């Protein structure tokens, strides 16, 4: 069965017979060619290769695979259709055609934010998500080739840990910058200029314009979209990143002698949140902010007065859930108080909402949250925070346990819900009857080892074949050190 027959097969057999190793290899080859053509400045060849990728069977198969296997696969758009059968996935590949394609409006939902406001989230239909995933395969190699060196948000093989390592490099040491501009863009996703996107994003202009002008449905009413790229679309983070790429270059061109003049200028960006370091508050306020304002204004954006501030490093800044502050000349990056509070509040809500749940089920609900939070902060100075969190969670669980048995004494409650394991006397554990009495325990954050994170090289490109050995070695090192305690922290190297 050839690719064309497989894509148009009326039954689910087409999807089952796809050789995914070959599909991914074919897509990687085309992406590598796009990277090479971009580096050589051959824009016509880039466009031709993008056309090949977006019209290939491999690209369409991989796009459908992504949207039917990610976390949002059970969430439908305005048409209430999901692709949950082999036949639907096979037919979906055949439906990914440019000719006659018209995206449906997004389904708008509001997500609460920490400050009490809401963030609008647009949910495309499955077909629109798949089309976005398909064109993203052809756009991402260009985005990675032209991206700012110190941009880390929503990029493959980069993470907040890399951003944290770069912040440490920029701020640690006696001769590093002491003033930090904490910048936040006002409604970045909602206010990006459509004209700028259509003129500057290197992809099919007709398809991009259709996505941007699709509108959204909220409470059964259709609203047009005149600006912005909707949060919730697969391609939206890349569009936002490409909009802000060039910010480092704009600063370098505005201050070409920054290093010679000891301005100590550095920028670290995670999507639309970024910091700029400098040698004085006045320089950041009077010279850097106007440069940022001009750059953003061209794209229909502006800095948020509410969240943009200039702070001395001895007072500390909060960035990406961490507090970065110098104590007696030594920079420490710790989990921020706001992040710790949000984490404990979430734990408290789950425990209160499951007052009558079985102990095993409660442990299953809490463990992923504990594991995720501790893994996020395990590269920072977090041991004390882990220990305090363990104490707070224990108090919550002790109250949960006593409430279930108001007529029983503390010793009886302790014996029922808490076990002695090794040197620990208060392990929240229970036997799982469905797994033959196997014990399940609540994770302890303080058991998470503090591991030094090795920052990714600034110009590493996962779509460029010349970096293949580097990424293979990086993945091997990551897997080999997983679970091992490395009691050291970042250094400037």
């Amino acid at each position: 069965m050839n690719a064309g027959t497989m894509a148009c097969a009326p039954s689910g057999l087409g999807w089952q017979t796809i050789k995914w190793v070959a599909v991914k290899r074919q897509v990687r080859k085309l992406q590598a060619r796009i990277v090479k053509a971009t580096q050589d400045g051959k824009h016509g060849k880039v466009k031709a290769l993008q056309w090949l990728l977006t019209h290939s069977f491999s690209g369409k198969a991989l796009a459908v695979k992504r949207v039917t296997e990610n976390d949002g696969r059970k969430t439908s758009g305005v048409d209430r259709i999901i692709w949950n059968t082999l036949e639907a996935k096979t037919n979906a590949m055949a439906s990914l055609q440019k000719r006659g394609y018209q995206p449906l409006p997004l389904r708008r939902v509001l997500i609460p934010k920490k400050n009490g406001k809401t963030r609008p989230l647009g949910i495309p239909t499955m077909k629109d998500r798949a089309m976005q995933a398909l064109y993203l395969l052809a756009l991402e190699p260009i985005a990675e080739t032209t991206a700012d060196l110190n941009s880390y948000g929503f990029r493959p093989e980069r993470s907040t840990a890399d951003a944290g390592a770069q912040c440490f490099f920029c701020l640690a040491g006696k001769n590093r910058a002491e003033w930090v501009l904490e910048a936040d863009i006002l409604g970045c996703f909602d206010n990006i200029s459509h004209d700028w996107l259509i003129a500057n994003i290197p992809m099919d202009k007709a398809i991009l314009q259709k996505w941007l002008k699709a509108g959204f449905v909220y409470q059964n009413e259709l609203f047009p979209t005149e600006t912005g790229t909707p949060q919730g679309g697969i391609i939206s983070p890349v569009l936002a990143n490409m909009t802000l790429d060039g910010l480092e270059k704009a600063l370098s061109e505005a201050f070409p002698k920054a290093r010679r003049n000891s301005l100590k200028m550095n920028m670290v960006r995670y999507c639309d949140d970024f910091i700029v370091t400098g040698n004085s508050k006045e320089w950041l306020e009077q010279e850097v902010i106007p440069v940022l304002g001009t750059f953003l204004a061209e794209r229909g954006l502006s800095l948020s007065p509410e969240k943009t501030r200039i702070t001395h490093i001895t007072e500390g800044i909060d960035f990406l859930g961490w507090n970065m502050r110098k104590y007696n000349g030594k920079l420490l990056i710790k989990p921020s108080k706001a992040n710790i509070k949000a984490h404990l509040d979430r734990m408290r809500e789950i425990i209160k909402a499951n007052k009558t749940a079985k102990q095993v089920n409660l442990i299953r609900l809490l463990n992923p949250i504990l594991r995720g939070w501790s893994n996020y902060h395990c590269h920072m100075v977090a041991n004390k925070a882990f220990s305090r969190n363990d104490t707070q969670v224990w108090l919550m669980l002790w109250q949960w346990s006593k409430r279930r048995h108001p007529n029983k004494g503390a010793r009886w409650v302790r014996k029922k819900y808490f076990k002695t394991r090794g040197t620990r006397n208060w392990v929240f554990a229970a036997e799982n009857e469905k797994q033959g009495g196997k014990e399940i325990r609540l994770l302890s954050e303080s058991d998470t080892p503090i591991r030094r994170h090795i920052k990714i090289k600034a110009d590493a490109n996962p779509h460029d074949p010349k970096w293949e050995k580097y990424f293979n070695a990086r993945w091997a090192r990551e897997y080999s050190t997983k679970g091992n305690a490395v009691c050291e922290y970042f250094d400037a190297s």
Side-chain angles (χ1 to χ4, degrees):
M1 182 179 289
N2 60 34
T5 306
M6 194 183 304
C8 301
S11 69
L13 293 176
W15 186 261
Q16 289 176 309
T17 55
I18 296 175
K19 297 180 179 179
W20 290 109
V21 173
V23 163
K24 292 177 181 178
R25 185 186 300 118
Q26 180 64 26
V27 170
R28 283 199 302 270
K29 285 182 179 179
L30 285 171
Q31 288 178 326
R33 293 176 65 189
I34 292 173
V35 169
K36 183 67 167 59
T38 303
Q39 292 170 341
D40 295 341
K42 299 178 179 178
H43 304 297
K45 187 174 183 180
V46 169
K47 191 174 181 180
L49 291 169
Q50 285 184 305
W51 190 95
L52 279 176
L53 181 48
T54 55
H55 288 74
S56 68
F57 166 76
S58 296
K60 293 176 181 180
L62 212 55
V64 173
K65 180 179 176 65
R66 174 172 180 174
V67 301
T68 55
E69 294 184 3
N70 62 13
D71 291 338
R73 63 188 180 277
K74 296 182 181 178
T75 305
S76 62
V78 293
D79 60 357
R80 301 296 176 180
I81 294 175
I82 58 174
W83 298 335
N84 55 1
T85 65
L86 297 177
E87 184 176 359
K89 295 174 185 179
T90 302
N91 294 334
M93 290 187 293
S95 72
L96 299 184
Q97 304 288 341
K98 178 183 175 181
R99 178 171 299 188
Y101 170 67
Q102 183 60 47
L104 292 176
L106 296 94
R107 181 162 67 90
R108 171 66 61 92
V109 295
L110 300 178
I111 307 298
K113 297 170 67 175
K114 291 185 292 185
N115 58 7
K117 298 180 181 180
T118 57
R119 174 184 289 109
L121 184 69
I123 303 175
T125 63
M126 292 292 288
K127 181 175 180 178
D128 293 337
R129 270 178 264 175
M131 285 292 284
Q132 289 188 19
L134 175 61
Y135 280 83
L136 178 59
L137 290 173
L139 180 62
E140 192 174 71
I142 304 174
E144 286 299 300
T145 305
T146 59
D148 284 345
L149 295 180
N150 290 300
S151 166
Y152 300 97
F154 302 109
R155 293 182 60 191
E157 307 303 331
R158 284 166 169 79
S159 66
T160 52
D162 294 305
Q166 181 63 20
C167 288
F168 187 88
F169 177 78
C170 296
L171 296 169
K174 294 181 180 180
N175 298 322
R176 299 294 183 181
E178 295 185 346
W179 290 93
V180 183
L181 168 63
E182 303 172 72
D184 183 87
I185 299 171
L186 184 63
C188 179
F189 282 87
D190 297 329
N191 296 315
I192 299 175
S193 168
H194 284 182
D195 292 338
W196 190 94
L197 287 171
I198 293 169
N200 293 277
I201 299 300
M203 65 168 290
D204 190 298
K205 309 297 182 183
I207 292 290
L208 178 59
Q209 186 166 22
K210 287 179 180 180
W211 287 335
L212 296 176
K213 302 297 184 183
F216 64 90
V217 173
Y218 182 63
Q219 294 181 344
N220 296 321
E221 186 176 354
L222 177 64
F223 295 88
T225 47
E226 301 299 333
T227 59
T229 174
Q231 286 180 272
I234 288 176
I235 205 170
S236 294
V238 176
L239 294 179
N241 264 334
M242 296 189 76
T243 301
L244 298 177
D245 283 334
L247 197 52
E248 274 190 270
K249 183 180 179 181
L251 289 171
S252 298
E253 291 177 349
F255 309 102
K257 299 180 181 179
R259 186 180 295 274
R260 187 185 306 172
N261 296 337
S262 299
L263 296 178
K264 301 176 181 178
M265 181 181 69
N266 294 282
M267 193 196 80
V268 182
R269 179 166 68 84
Y270 192 90
C271 199
D272 59 333
D273 291 326
F274 62 94
I275 64 170
V276 180
T277 65
N279 65 344
S280 71
K281 181 178 182 180
E282 292 74 19
W283 178 72
L284 289 171
E285 189 172 30
Q286 297 173 12
E287 299 193 44
V288 172
I289 288 182
V291 173
L292 298 178
T294 302
F295 177 89
L296 295 174
E298 295 174 0
R299 293 151 174 78
L301 302 172
S302 62
L303 292 175
S304 168
E306 178 186 343
K307 297 182 179 180
T308 300
R309 62 181 68 87
I310 300 173
T311 310
H312 196 272
I313 194 60
T314 56
E315 298 176 13
I317 63 168
D318 282 358
F319 186 56
L320 301 177
W322 297 310
N323 179 262
M324 305 176 183
R325 182 178 176 184
K326 273 191 175 179
Y327 299 83
N328 298 321
K330 183 177 182 179
L331 181 73
L332 297 181
I333 303 180
K334 306 177 181 180
S336 68
K337 291 181 179 179
N339 194 270
I340 293 173
K341 182 180 182 301
H343 172 56
L344 293 177
D345 285 347
R346 186 181 181 190
M347 298 291 291
R348 191 173 290 108
E349 288 175 7
I350 292 175
I351 292 172
K352 284 186 177 180
N354 291 273
K355 293 177 179 177
T356 60
K358 291 183 178 180
Q359 186 181 7
V360 169
N361 294 336
L362 180 61
I363 294 173
R364 283 176 173 168
L365 289 173
L366 297 178
N367 274 351
I369 301 171
L370 293 168
R371 184 184 295 109
W373 197 87
S374 56
N375 285 343
Y376 182 88
H377 294 285
C378 69
H379 306 294
M380 305 303 170
V381 182
N383 269 333
K384 289 185 178 179
F386 289 165
S387 296
R388 286 195 297 266
N389 286 351
D390 286 342
T391 301
Q392 292 298 316
V393 172
W394 179 87
L395 289 171
M396 298 175 201
L397 293 173
W398 179 244
Q399 292 297 325
W400 177 87
S401 303
K402 289 200 302 180
R403 182 189 174 279
R404 294 164 70 90
H405 306 281
N407 298 323
K408 297 291 186 179
R411 288 186 179 179
W412 187 93
V413 173
R414 177 196 179 282
K415 186 176 180 181
K416 180 171 178 60
Y417 294 103
F418 297 89
K419 314 297 181 184
T420 298
R421 296 292 179 265
T423 59
R424 294 185 176 177
N425 297 322
W426 292 89
V427 178
F428 193 70
E431 292 183 354
N432 188 354
E433 298 177 357
K434 294 183 179 180
Q435 294 185 353
K438 184 179 179 181
E439 186 177 79
I440 178 172
R441 304 178 188 177
L442 186 77
L443 294 177
S444 176
E445 289 184 4
S446 56
D447 286 341
T448 305
I450 302 299
R451 301 191 301 270
R452 176 178 182 245
H453 178 77
I454 300 175
K455 190 183 84 70
I456 190 171
K457 289 186 177 180
D459 54 345
N461 185 344
H463 299 296
D464 191 339
K466 75 177 184 180
W467 289 98
E468 185 175 353
K469 289 184 178 179
Y470 170 77
F471 282 108
N472 287 340
R474 187 174 176 84
W475 295 329
R477 182 173 59 246
E478 181 181 342
Y479 286 119
S480 66
T481 59
K482 219 169 208 179
N484 295 330
V486 181
C487 299
E488 56 179 319
Y489 192 53
F490 296 121
D491 60 23
S493 64

